[in-house]
Amino acid sequence: MTDAATTHPGSSVAERLDALPFTRKHLKVLTGSGLGWALDAMDVGLVSFVLTALIAQWSLTGAQASWIASAGFVGMALGASLGGLLADRFGRRSVFAVTLLVYGVATGASALVGGLAALIALRVVVGLGLGAELPVASTYVSELAPARMRGRLIVILEAFWAIGWTAAALIGFFVIPASADGWRWAFALGAIPALYALIVRWGLPESPRWLAQRGRRTEAEAVVVAFESSPAVGDARRHRVRQAPPAASAGGTSAATSAGQRLAALWSPEFRVRTTALWTVWFCVNFAYYGAFIWIPTILFSQGYDLVKSFGFTLVITLAQLPGYAVAAWLIEVWGRRMTLSVFLAGSAVSAVLFGTASVEGAIIAAGMALSFFNLGAWGALYAVTPETYPTSLRGTGAGWAAGVGRIASIVAPLSVPPLLAAGGPPLLFVIFAAFFVLAAASAWGLAEHRGTALDDR
């Protein structure tokens, strides 16, 4: 035990959390939440490979395939909006576990479907769980992370997405082409989160910031003491934390206590510019990312590459996500949130144009890897800045509704791909994606910068 384990009764819960070193408890929270995040990514990634197989096996039209992809995002839009509200009402950990259970069971059931309608219906249910889980998990980790490394830890959390998507690519490469029922086995593997949810529910603590804000101070104190008593990993020194700027006295937002108050507070004078900027970034990034990555295997397949080769290209492209996250995790505490986010979005725009115009294998893979690198680094920065935008009383609601607005774009994007491909092929499609990345990069400058500052615990 280090001197960081000494309790400081005169300090607030937030101050004590922010002053901690990175402990084994933090590592458990990060890996526990991250594994759930990776399983989410595996589910979303599997759809891109299943679509390619079902187009051939079920003779689906482009529109029918689009609805399989978009159905999940319909559920995600609803799940993100409701999940944030529920997390502010019932706690982060409980909602996190329930959402994993919902989408894990629904994904496993998808392996048994016999037709298009049943698969679309189950994808909506899968989306309900998945859409609620992602903003809740980022809020949860953000509230437990020490201030000086909060952004970096959220980017590392987001990096688990690359692990999950890589797992999906491996399943797509080895399992789906192996037999006519390969896509069913892929969905069956997606049922793993249902079992993992039980571990999450009982193995991770509730957010002490949320407990304190709800007046449950004895429980909050117990969680903080557990973190203070946990051995440090690496630097064991306590740190002084730069406090967040005080809220404006005129028109400042007090702690919201009901769903209606939380939703209204997002558009109060204090937060309306941040909310507008955040929702714009989320919408644009979702449109470009899901429009591209859900369809990349199918686009490659339609260009004459066989199923195994198109999946192999996608696997290589996916591997570039991990260094993208690593660079973003370093820069976010050096450059700050807004600069890192905007630079990675600009890189995504350039990469999208290059990918859309590439015509030989080497160029396709290189441009695809660049798109993967910059786009997923941008996702890491976006998930870091989102929960920092709002105070504790509406943090889950704010993060959830931003994600929910983004999921609207996720619904529209897969449906837009077939007509755009018919109108101008990959060049037109990816130039449009690049335009969305540019708009997101510009909107990022309307967000507040919270590098190294304490969270707002109103």
Side-chain angles (χ1 to χ4, degrees), residues 106-149:
T107 298
S110 298
L112 305 175
V113 299
L116 181 63
L119 181 56
I120 289 174
L122 280 171
R123 291 308 302 169
V124 173
V125 179
V126 169
L128 283 171
L130 179 60
E133 193 275 328
L134 295 176
V136 172
S138 60
T139 297
Y140 174 65
V141 175
S142 183
E143 290 183 347
L144 284 163
R148 71 192 178 283
M149 64 179 74

Side-chain angles (χ1 to χ4, degrees), residues 92-294:
R92 293 24 172 155
R93 181 187 66 171
S94 298
V95 175
F96 180 35
V98 170
T99 57
L100 281 167
L101 187 62
V102 168
Y103 98 80
V105 171
T107 298
S110 298
L112 305 175
V113 299
L116 181 63
L119 181 56
I120 289 174
L122 280 171
R123 291 308 302 169
V124 173
V125 179
V126 169
L128 283 171
L130 179 60
E133 193 275 328
L134 295 176
V136 172
S138 60
T139 297
Y140 174 65
V141 175
S142 183
E143 290 183 347
L144 284 163
R148 71 192 178 283
M149 64 179 74
R150 186 174 60 240
R152 184 164 296 158
L153 292 184
I154 296 300
V155 178
I156 294 172
L157 171 68
E158 238 287 282
F160 279 86
W161 185 271
I163 296 172
W165 202 283
T166 301
L170 289 170
I171 292 170
F173 186 73
F174 290 108
V175 176
I176 294 179
S179 69
D181 288 330
W183 65 271
R184 295 185 185 274
W185 285 109
F187 275 142
L189 291 171
I192 293 173
L195 300 176
Y196 178 69
L198 300 177
I199 302 173
V200 172
R201 178 63 180 84
W202 299 111
L204 298 179
E206 182 54 85
S207 165
R209 294 177 189 268
W210 179 83
L211 290 169
Q213 201 275 329
R214 300 291 294 183
R216 295 162 61 177
R217 298 192 178 277
T218 301
E219 295 171 75
E221 172 72 17
V223 175
V224 175
V225 168
F227 274 82
E228 290 173 330
S229 303
S230 179
V233 178
D235 184 6
R237 294 174 297 172
R238 299 184 67 90
H239 292 259
R240 298 180 65 85
V241 180
R242 184 161 53 95
Q243 296 300 308
S249 57
T253 303
S254 58
T257 57
S258 68
Q261 288 176 341
R262 293 185 185 105
L263 291 173
L266 299 182
W267 294 101
S268 66
E270 183 180 0
F271 296 116
R272 62 178 55 146
V273 172
R274 299 184 196 179
T275 298
T276 300
L278 191 64
W279 286 18
T280 302
V281 176
W282 269 91
F283 187 91
C284 292
V285 173
N286 271 270
F287 185 90
Y289 173 76
Y290 287 108
F293 281 89
I294 289 293

Side-chain angles (χ1 to χ4, degrees), residues 14 27 47 61 87 113 132 139 156 160 162 191 197 262 266 294 296 317 325 358 373 375 413 429 442:
L27 183 61
V47 173
T61 65
V113 299
T139 297
I156 294 172
F160 279 86
R262 293 185 185 105
L266 299 182
I294 289 293
I296 280 178
I317 289 170
Y325 284 124
F373 175 93
N375 199 182
L429 179 66

Side-chain angles (χ1 to χ4, degrees), residues 409-420:
S410 304
I411 298 166
V412 175
L415 296 172
S416 303
V417 169
L420 288 172

